[in-house]
């Protein structure tokens, strides 16, 4: 069974949408295998988004992602990485298919409600940043 890393971003936590988002994952066959509600430090957030360091939106992205609580999760299921990306929808909520989490809860390109790993390798790298081995059963 595959696992992936998911973040419910500060804008979605703020609007009390944690339950709705988790329900969407569960109803489509993903399982929450680990979770923690926390506020990201600037250091960990910059490490997590290191691949975007040179992008013009990097500063804005880090300041948004550290602006309030986020829910960090390990999701498991068959084909979890790709399935999660499908359930989230396109990065830009305006382009996200109806029924996806970003179409419903995304506010903008930056404040797009959720993060999901884009590959198996990214998933393992990202899970290792935020979870200890013993927290991932
Ligand atoms: P994520 O990695 O968060 O799941 P993604 O893979 O769909 O999203 P990336 O290209 O990896 O998108 O960008 C990472 C995050 O950076 C996006 O989720 C979004 O919040 C932010 N971002 C991307 N492009 C822009 C932009 N043009 N302006 C502002 N923020 C952006
Ligand atoms: Mg990405």
């Amino acid at each position: 069974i595959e696992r992936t890393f998911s973040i419910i971003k500060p804008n979605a936590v703020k609007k009390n949408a944690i339950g709705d988002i988790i329900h969407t994952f569960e109803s489509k066959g993903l399982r929450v295998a680990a979770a923690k509600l926390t506020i990201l430090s600037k250091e960990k957030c910059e490490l997590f988004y290191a691949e975007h360091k040179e992008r013009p939106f990097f500063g804005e992205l880090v300041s948004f992602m550290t602006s309030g609580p986020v829910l960090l999760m390990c999701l498991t299921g068959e084909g979890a990485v790709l399935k999660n990306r499908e359930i989230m929808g396109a990065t830009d909520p305006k382009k996200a298919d109806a029924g996806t989490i970003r179409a419903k809860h995304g506010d903008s390109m930056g404040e797009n409600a959720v993060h999901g790993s884009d590959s198996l390798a990214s998933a393992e790298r990202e899970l290792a940043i935020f979870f200890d081995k013993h927290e991932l059963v």
Side-chain angles (χ1 to χ4, degrees), residues 48-49 51-52 85 88 91 102 115-118 122 126:
F48 169 65
Y49 278 130
E51 64 172 315
H52 299 305
R85 300 282 292 185
M88 290 194 301
T91 309
R102 282 167 166 169
H115 162 81
S117 309
D118 59 12
S122 298
E126 295 169 0

Coordinates of all heavy atoms in Angstrom, one line a residue, residues 48-49 51-52 85 88 91 102 115-118 122 126, ligand 2:
F48 N 11.2 22.5 3.4 CA 10.2 21.7 2.7 C 10.0 22.2 1.3 O 9.9 21.5 0.4 CB 8.9 21.9 3.5 CG 7.6 21.4 2.8 CD1 7.5 20.0 2.5 CD2 6.6 22.3 2.5 CE1 6.4 19.6 1.8 CE2 5.5 21.8 1.8 CZ 5.4 20.5 1.5
Y49 N 10.0 23.6 1.1 CA 9.8 24.2 -0.2 C 11.1 24.6 -0.9 O 11.1 25.4 -1.8 CB 8.9 25.4 0.0 CG 7.4 25.1 0.0 CD1 6.6 25.7 1.0 CD2 6.8 24.4 -0.9 CE1 5.2 25.4 1.1 CE2 5.4 24.1 -0.9 CZ 4.6 24.7 0.1 OH 3.3 24.4 0.2
E51 N 12.8 23.4 -3.2 CA 12.8 23.4 -4.7 C 12.2 24.7 -5.3 O 12.4 25.0 -6.5 CB 12.0 22.2 -5.3 CG 10.5 22.2 -4.9 CD 9.7 21.1 -5.6 OE1 9.9 20.9 -6.8 OE2 8.8 20.5 -4.9
H52 N 11.5 25.5 -4.5 CA 10.9 26.7 -5.0 C 11.6 28.0 -4.6 O 11.2 29.1 -4.8 CB 9.4 26.9 -4.6 CG 8.5 25.8 -5.0 ND1 8.4 25.5 -6.4 CD2 7.8 24.9 -4.4 CE1 7.5 24.4 -6.5 NE2 7.2 24.1 -5.3
R85 N -3.4 13.7 -5.5 CA -3.3 14.8 -6.5 C -4.7 15.0 -7.2 O -5.1 16.2 -7.5 CB -2.2 14.6 -7.5 CG -0.8 14.4 -6.8 CD -0.2 15.7 -6.4 NE 0.2 16.6 -7.5 CZ 0.9 17.7 -7.4 NH1 1.3 18.1 -6.2 NH2 1.2 18.5 -8.4
M88 N -7.2 16.6 -4.9 CA -6.9 18.0 -4.6 C -7.4 18.9 -5.7 O -7.8 20.0 -5.5 CB -5.4 18.2 -4.4 CG -4.9 17.6 -3.1 SD -3.2 18.3 -2.8 CE -2.3 17.8 -4.2
T91 N -3.4 23.2 -9.2 CA -2.8 24.2 -8.2 C -3.6 25.5 -8.1 O -3.8 26.0 -7.0 CB -1.4 24.5 -8.7 OG1 -0.7 23.3 -9.0 CG2 -0.6 25.4 -7.7
R102 N -9.5 21.8 -3.9 CA -9.1 23.2 -4.3 C -10.2 24.0 -4.9 O -10.3 25.2 -4.7 CB -7.8 23.1 -5.1 CG -6.6 22.9 -4.3 CD -5.4 22.5 -5.1 NE -4.1 22.6 -4.4 CZ -3.0 22.1 -4.8 NH1 -2.9 21.5 -6.0 NH2 -1.9 22.2 -4.1
H115 N -1.8 20.8 0.3 CA -0.5 20.3 -0.4 C -0.6 18.8 -0.5 O -1.1 18.2 0.4 CB 0.7 20.7 0.4 CG 1.9 19.9 -0.1 ND1 2.6 20.3 -1.2 CD2 2.5 18.8 0.4 CE1 3.6 19.4 -1.4 NE2 3.5 18.4 -0.4
G116 N -0.1 18.3 -1.6 CA 0.1 16.9 -1.8 C 1.4 16.5 -2.5 O 1.6 17.2 -3.5
S117 N 2.1 15.6 -2.0 CA 3.4 15.2 -2.7 C 3.1 14.8 -4.2 O 2.1 14.2 -4.5 CB 4.0 14.0 -2.0 OG 4.0 14.2 -0.6
D118 N 4.1 15.2 -5.0 CA 3.9 15.0 -6.5 C 4.6 13.7 -7.0 O 4.5 13.4 -8.1 CB 4.5 16.2 -7.3 CG 5.9 16.5 -7.0 OD1 6.6 15.6 -6.4 OD2 6.4 17.6 -7.4
S122 N 9.1 12.3 -3.5 CA 8.8 13.5 -2.8 C 8.1 13.2 -1.5 O 8.3 13.7 -0.4 CB 7.9 14.4 -3.6 OG 8.5 14.9 -4.7
E126 N 9.3 14.3 2.1 CA 8.4 15.3 2.9 C 8.0 14.6 4.2 O 8.0 15.3 5.2 CB 7.2 15.7 2.0 CG 7.7 16.5 0.8 CD 6.6 16.8 -0.3 OE1 5.5 16.3 -0.1 OE2 7.0 17.4 -1.3
Ligands
LIG2 MG1 4.4 20.7 -5.7

